[in-house]
Amino acid sequence: MKSHYRAVVIGGGVVGASVLYHLAKFGWKDVCLIERNILTAGSSWHAAGGIHALNADPNIASLQAYTIDLLSEIQEESGQDIGLHMTGGLTMAGTPDRWEWLQSAYRTFQSIGIEDVRLVSPKEAQDLCPIMSTDGLLGGMSADREGYVDTTGTVHAYATAAKKRGAEVIEHNRVLELHQVEGGWQVVTEKGTIHTEHVVNAAGLWAKQVGRMAGIELPVSPLNHHYLISDTIPALEQLDFEVPMTVDLEGFTYMRQDQKGVLLGIYELDHQHWNMDGAPWEYGFELQQEDPDRIEKELILGFERYPDLQNVGVKTWVNGAFTFSPDGNPLVGPVRGKPGYWCACAVMAGFLQGGGVGKSLAEWMIHGEPEADVYGMDVARYGTFAENKQYIKETTGQFYSRRFVMTYPNEQLPAGRPLKMAPAYSEMNEAGAVWGQSWDMEVPLYFAPKEFEETPTLKRSNAFDFVAAECKAVRENVGLLDISAFSRFEVTGPNAEAWLDNVMACALPKPGRAKLAPMLAEDGRLKGDLTVFNWGDGSWWIMGSYYLREWHMRWFDDHMMDGVSVRDLGEDTCGFSLSGPNSRKVIEKLTDGPIGDLKFLGCGHFDIGLIRAKVARMSVAGERGYEINCRYGDHIKLRRMLLEAGEEFGIREFGFNAMLSLRLEKSFGIWSAEFTQGYTAAQTGMDRWIAWDKGDFIGKDAAMAERDGNGPAQLEVTLEIDAVDADASGYEPVWQDGKKVGFVTSGGYGHTVGKSLAIAMVNREVAAEGTDLQVHIVGAERAAKVIAPSPYDPSGKAMRG
Ligand SMILES: Cc1cc2nc3c(=O)[nH]c(=O)nc-3n(C[C@H](O)[C@H](O)[C@H](O)COP(=O)(O)OP(=O)(O)OC[C@H]3O[C@@H](n4cnc5c(N)ncnc54)[C@H](O)[C@@H]3O)c2cc1C
């Protein structure tokens, strides 16, 4: 062991070994991995080793596909056998809804370029997996690149391949302490102290403690998990092939062949957390006592699905723990305020995801950004609210039990809720608000009578008429939307303007004006679709997506300059948006300030009744509108005043479902759909806000190279879809005469224009208005046409006038 390394990886499980391998592969040779015990001594040694393609987040599914391709490479490179059994895989559905979902998921796979999947009938599935009963099954999805690996062999293969590339592995050496020092970290270990620029927390079951060593409270918890390995099954002895790795979605089980028996794993409803503060340091290679009673219900379903299990004994029980984050995705990346500290934790399926995690993190550490859009596993997708133990317990437990349960796009899950509520929450609740959650915050989705219950569905929801009525109110009259769940940052200091000018790609707004502001990474890809406000009194604001608060603050911190301070106002400031042709009449009743003179994108301070508010003339709905920002304490009063003033016009409260429909009719993009860190400004049309002739700004060179080159190969367009009872929601493939030409970024029903609409990222050759295309919606092919942007009010008269 040396006294200095460029990077130290803590943890010799599959994830740490993969990070080490990728660091060495991408050029950092002066790196080491430190393991408390021997390699694999955490969750990794007793995993089932299953690898399968399905993931609800298409970006994570792509990284899983990368891992699967990598496995044979590392076997070859290391010379270490990883026991790769590419048996193929099956995912089976037993209810009409689930079968519909699988058909839809199959199309999502096509969108993201995973082509080796196909839908199969129960009979075809049984031919592939003869020991499976098809009772109650409606269909399934078959994938070629699924199977299982030998877990210990795989960890050693990563580590050996890394060592061949110059990396070091140090076993039997626990990391005891971490100290942030000038230029990096001091790593105190049992065998001495190391200085390093970068430290990676890949401590698996001990990730919580290794986080705390650096003062970081990670939202992660271990949960227990069972599988059994059966004795030999005679029917399997008769086969000259291995049965596929099979997931029974209704049965909560996964199954793979293990020699001539099977391994059956269970995700039970009655889940059990294990050492929420992290595993004991002395925990070795022991397992927890099996508890068949707790998993009995799911076990019975498994034995019914694979009836041969009823006639053979159980050879081995495994009840071991592995880690989960609140949404089940890994926690990867740098931590705000801790330069040089990197996370590679909460990797729930390390053998399936470890390769993608290692690749992305190594790229991040070496090049400053990962190649793929990894927001779905970025540690900065959570804020301090997620440090709470009960929150972690509820959400990780919910994820575990729903591992194979499908979540509908219109379904709201209960764990960790309600947490943060805007002050007027109770009054909006009384008025019939139906709530969703953004980050920690309850947001109104729509307003309905108390007795109404929304049915979870992939198709149009039974809340359709409520949303339609809210859209109509906004378009024809006036609507009120709680916009507490927008992010707001205050930028102050003598260099505030210079800093904003460098961080944002747009020209900054003049005093009393606001401006749409693309924020770019150095490589020209998007980092934000923000709005900058120049309040006219020397103060500046940035507004954006609420759930990106921590993610944006990390970016701001990383690009800070002297003489600037950025304050997240998310705990102090909230507000309402008033939208519609009558919005001016309503707001004018409440102020004697010249609010009527406020031009589109004008902003300033106004007295609204008793409240001193910051008001901007804008509306995401594409109508005349005002965003009224107030202190948290003013929220209830502001709502009451606006509703009272609007009463004579028949003002109606609306929610974010209506807002999403209204913005789609204007072809306004939103983050995580039309705008992501995977796209450039030119691809998304954000380049029209770039001020090419201003001085330097982050991402300028890359954006100019794109502008002056051939332009992007794909562009975003608006589609009108000949849909019947379901609308596009995202990631549906777009075709032209059988050739895939793009995918939907988001979709929905445009209630004013009376059309099913979508925004899609398509090849430039098919982006012209009038091009006929096809889109798969919930598995069914529908005709679509490229239409001009903004099918509602294309001239923008309603919004600007
Ligand atoms: C029963 C079961 C079945 C599973 N089935 C599958 C499956 O089919 N497919 C799949 O992909 N995944 C499966 N998993 C999950 C898989 O095991 C984990 O995702 C994976 O092992 C996580 O790897 P890791 O490297 O993050 O953590 P770990 O394997 O826990 O490794 C962390 C390592 O860090 C070391 N360490 C911790 N603290 C320190 C310190 N302070 N100093 C030095 N070293 C330290 C530990 O000793 C340990 O070796 C299963 C897990 C279980 C329990």
Side-chain angles (χ1 to χ4, degrees):
M1 186 172 94
K2 297 190 299 181
S3 61
H4 180 274
Y5 293 89
R6 187 157 196 190
V8 172
V9 179
I10 304 172
V14 66
V15 174
S18 167
V19 172
L20 188 78
Y21 166 74
H22 283 93
L23 285 172
K25 183 174 179 173
F26 298 159
W28 282 13
K29 309 290 177 197
D30 183 22
V31 291
C32 78
L33 179 153
I34 300 187
E35 165 55 45
R36 173 190 69 97
N37 192 321
I38 57 169
L39 291 177
T40 77
S43 295
S44 294
W45 70 273
H46 59 280
I51 44 175
H52 69 115
L54 207 65
N55 191 290
D57 179 334
N59 289 310
I60 307 271
S62 296
L63 287 169
Q64 291 180 178
Y66 165 81
T67 308
I68 295 171
D69 288 342
L70 180 70
L71 288 168
S72 41
E73 265 179 54
I74 57 147
Q75 174 164 267
E76 195 169 320
E77 197 176 326
S78 63
Q80 161 75 51
D81 181 14
I82 65 163
L84 181 61
H85 291 243
M86 274 296 190
T87 57
L90 280 173
T91 306
M92 301 306 302
T95 61
D97 284 351
R98 180 88 65 161
W99 176 220
E100 205 168 51
W101 177 73
L102 261 191
Q103 294 172 64
S104 188
Y106 162 64
R107 297 296 174 184
T108 304
F109 276 113
Q110 290 185 319
S111 280
I112 59 175
I114 299 178
E115 306 283 356
D116 60 347
V117 288
R118 72 203 73 83
L119 296 172
V120 290
S121 67
K123 168 78 180 67
E124 288 167 318
Q126 202 184 30
D127 289 345
L128 295 167
C129 186
I131 59 163
M132 175 176 70
S133 153
T134 55
D135 275 4
L137 293 180
L138 297 176
M141 189 162 73
S142 163
D144 293 342
R145 284 182 307 160
E146 299 198 344
Y148 64 95
V149 289
D150 165 40
T151 54
T152 302
T154 302
V155 177
H156 281 278
Y158 277 121
T160 305
K163 283 194 279 187
K164 281 190 170 176
R165 290 176 180 270
E168 223 176 299
V169 172
I170 301 150
E171 293 178 296
H172 300 294
N173 187 23
R174 173 145 75 96
V175 171
L176 303 169
E177 291 168 29
L178 290 172
H179 303 288
Q180 202 169 358
V181 292
E182 183 73 29
W185 292 84
Q186 195 181 52
V187 184
V188 182
T189 79
E190 286 172 333
K191 292 185 179 169
T193 297
I194 299 170
H195 292 267
T196 182
E197 286 133 69
H198 303 271
V199 64
V200 179
N201 177 354
L205 292 173
W206 296 264
K208 194 89 180 175
Q209 294 100 310
V210 174
R212 284 179 180 156
M213 285 179 194
I216 298 162
E217 217 33 73
L218 289 165
V220 58
S221 171
L223 276 105
N224 276 330
H225 179 67
H226 280 86
Y227 64 76
L228 62 84
I229 298 176
S230 77
D231 285 333
T232 295
I233 293 177
L236 287 178
E237 284 186 307
Q238 307 302 316
L239 297 179
D240 58 0
F241 61 91
E242 273 195 289
V243 294
M245 158 102 190
T246 302
V247 173
D248 176 12
L249 294 172
E250 263 74 35
F252 306 90
T253 62
Y254 60 91
M255 181 281 297
R256 70 161 172 84
Q257 191 159 335
D258 193 272
Q259 298 180 10
K260 292 296 174 188
V262 298
L263 179 156
L264 183 78
I266 293 115
Y267 280 97
E268 66 280 8
L269 282 176
D270 182 15
H271 55 258
Q272 189 178 61
H273 287 80
W274 181 80
N275 284 303
M276 282 197 68
D277 288 319
W281 289 117
E282 60 283 5
Y283 185 67
F285 282 82
E286 60 270 22
L287 292 168
Q288 280 74 266
Q289 179 65 44
E290 70 266 21
D291 186 2
D293 288 348
R294 190 166 57 77
I295 59 170
E296 184 184 5
K297 212 174 120 236
E298 295 80 9
L299 211 51
I300 290 172
L301 292 174
F303 276 50
E304 284 169 358
R305 184 59 66 215
Y306 308 102
D308 287 327
L309 281 173
Q310 296 167 23
N311 306 318
V312 297
V314 172
K315 189 163 68 182
T316 314
W317 276 105
V318 169
N319 179 15
F322 60 124
T323 52
F324 292 80
S325 73
D327 63 9
N329 281 335
L331 298 171
V332 179
V335 178
R336 179 155 79 97
K338 308 281 175 188
Y341 187 99
W342 303 84
C343 290
C345 325
V347 186
M348 177 257 311
F351 293 89
L352 175 62
Q353 300 174 331
V357 167
K359 172 183 186 280
S360 299
L361 189 67
E363 288 167 348
W364 216 332
M365 293 169 70
I366 296 172
H367 306 302
E369 287 283 332
E371 184 193 0
D373 172 11
V374 296
Y375 179 77
M377 60 182 191
D378 193 328
V379 63
R381 72 186 183 281
Y382 290 105
T384 46
F385 69 93
E387 294 174 1
N388 176 281
K389 198 165 179 176
Q390 183 168 338
Y391 177 86
I392 297 170
K393 187 165 192 191
E394 286 184 26
T395 51
T396 52
Q398 173 176 271
F399 177 84
Y400 181 94
S401 290
R402 295 181 61 88
R403 173 82 172 94
F404 292 147
V405 179
M406 108 196 216
T407 303
Y408 294 88
N410 68 332
E411 194 174 4
Q412 303 301 321
L413 301 180
R417 296 180 57 199
L419 180 52
K420 186 175 168 192
M421 291 166 274
Y425 172 89
S426 297
E427 297 199 359
M428 287 189 276
N429 206 39
E430 260 320 287
V434 176
W435 300 94
Q437 192 188 33
S438 172
W439 221 44
D440 57 348
M441 179 114 187
E442 294 296 310
V443 294
L445 299 178
Y446 58 89
F447 290 76
K450 279 269 168 282
E451 62 282 3
F452 175 74
E453 267 188 43
E454 187 170 1
T455 315
T457 177
L458 291 171
K459 298 190 169 163
R460 281 184 197 147
S461 138
N462 55 338
F464 188 84
D465 290 344
F466 299 120
V467 177
E470 290 175 12
C471 291
K472 190 169 156 61
V474 175
R475 289 276 183 251
E476 296 176 5
N477 187 3
V478 57
L480 186 67
L481 172 72
D482 172 27
I483 54 164
S484 301
F486 283 4
S487 70
R488 297 166 174 87
F489 304 96
E490 182 185 56
V491 187
T492 51
N495 288 331
E497 186 168 349
W499 178 77
L500 280 164
D501 206 31
N502 184 248
V503 168
M504 304 296 168
C506 62
L508 292 186
K510 302 263 178 293
R513 304 284 301 160
K515 192 148 209 167
L516 289 173
M519 186 164 72
L520 307 182
E522 281 81 358
D523 64 5
R525 293 187 296 172
L526 294 173
K527 274 288 165 186
D529 59 332
L530 301 158
T531 308
V532 173
F533 298 76
N534 181 345
W535 290 109
D537 59 357
S539 71
W540 299 82
W541 268 22
I542 302 169
M543 264 173 105
S545 303
Y546 182 81
Y547 65 94
L548 300 177
R549 277 171 59 190
E550 184 68 18
W551 191 72
H552 274 146
M553 276 307 283
R554 187 180 66 191
W555 182 260
F556 297 153
D557 277 5
D558 286 350
H559 297 82
M560 211 14 87
M561 129 191 326
D562 283 346
V564 184
S565 158
V566 178
R567 193 164 71 92
D568 180 350
L569 302 177
E571 306 307 319
D572 313 321
T573 311
C574 54
F576 282 96
S577 166
L578 194 63
S579 294
N582 283 327
S583 57
R584 175 176 173 173
K585 291 182 194 148
V586 175
I587 202 163
E588 274 184 331
K589 284 175 68 180
L590 292 168
T591 183
D592 61 2
I595 207 149
D597 299 339
L598 208 55
K599 298 251 172 349
F600 178 60
L601 292 179
C603 65
H605 297 87
F606 289 89
D607 287 339
I608 304 293
L610 271 178
I611 294 168
R612 189 77 186 140
K614 279 177 147 75
V615 182
R617 220 202 102 184
M618 57 177 61
S619 150
V620 190
E623 292 296 331
R624 172 182 274 276
Y626 302 86
E627 287 182 359
I628 309 159
N629 303 284
C630 63
R631 297 178 305 173
Y632 255 68
D634 297 334
H635 195 237
I636 295 176
K637 177 73 180 169
L638 180 61
R639 175 177 176 275
R640 286 182 190 167
M641 286 190 308
L642 289 165
L643 286 179
E644 224 172 273
E647 204 173 342
E648 63 174 292
F649 307 101
I651 191 170
R652 182 169 183 147
E653 281 189 281
F654 68 106
F656 277 83
N657 287 7
M659 203 268 272
L660 285 175
S661 163
L662 295 163
R663 69 92 200 175
L664 197 58
E665 292 181 324
K666 290 292 300 166
S667 301
F668 290 161
I670 51 169
W671 194 264
S672 285
E674 285 69 45
F675 309 127
T676 75
Q677 58 181 336
Y679 306 147
T680 63
Q683 269 180 297
T684 60
M686 282 291 259
D687 55 341
R688 58 180 185 275
W689 311 110
I690 293 182
W692 300 104
D693 49 359
K694 78 170 187 176
D696 208 15
F697 58 87
I698 298 169
K700 184 174 186 179
D701 291 347
M704 283 184 86
E706 185 176 38
R707 183 194 66 172
D708 301 337
N710 295 329
Q714 289 199 308
L715 295 170
E716 281 177 0
V717 295
T718 304
L719 298 180
E720 178 185 328
I721 302 177
D722 195 4
V724 182
D725 56 354
D727 303 298
S729 58
Y731 283 108
E732 291 87 353
V734 179
W735 311 89
Q736 189 181 46
D737 305 326
K739 181 175 169 247
K740 198 173 68 182
V741 292
F743 63 93
V744 168
T745 51
S746 71
Y749 192 77
H751 290 276
T752 321
V753 298
K755 287 173 182 166
S756 184
L757 300 171
I759 300 180
M761 182 72 81
V762 298
N763 297 346
R764 203 158 53 170
E765 308 80 73
V766 302
E769 264 174 64
T771 307
D772 285 318
L773 300 169
Q774 300 80 42
V775 178
H776 271 99
I777 297 183
V778 197
E781 186 177 303
R782 305 285 178 206
K785 193 184 271 304
V786 179
I787 59 170
S790 190
Y792 171 76
D793 186 29
S795 69
K797 210 168 121 237
M799 186 168 68
R800 292 162 197 276

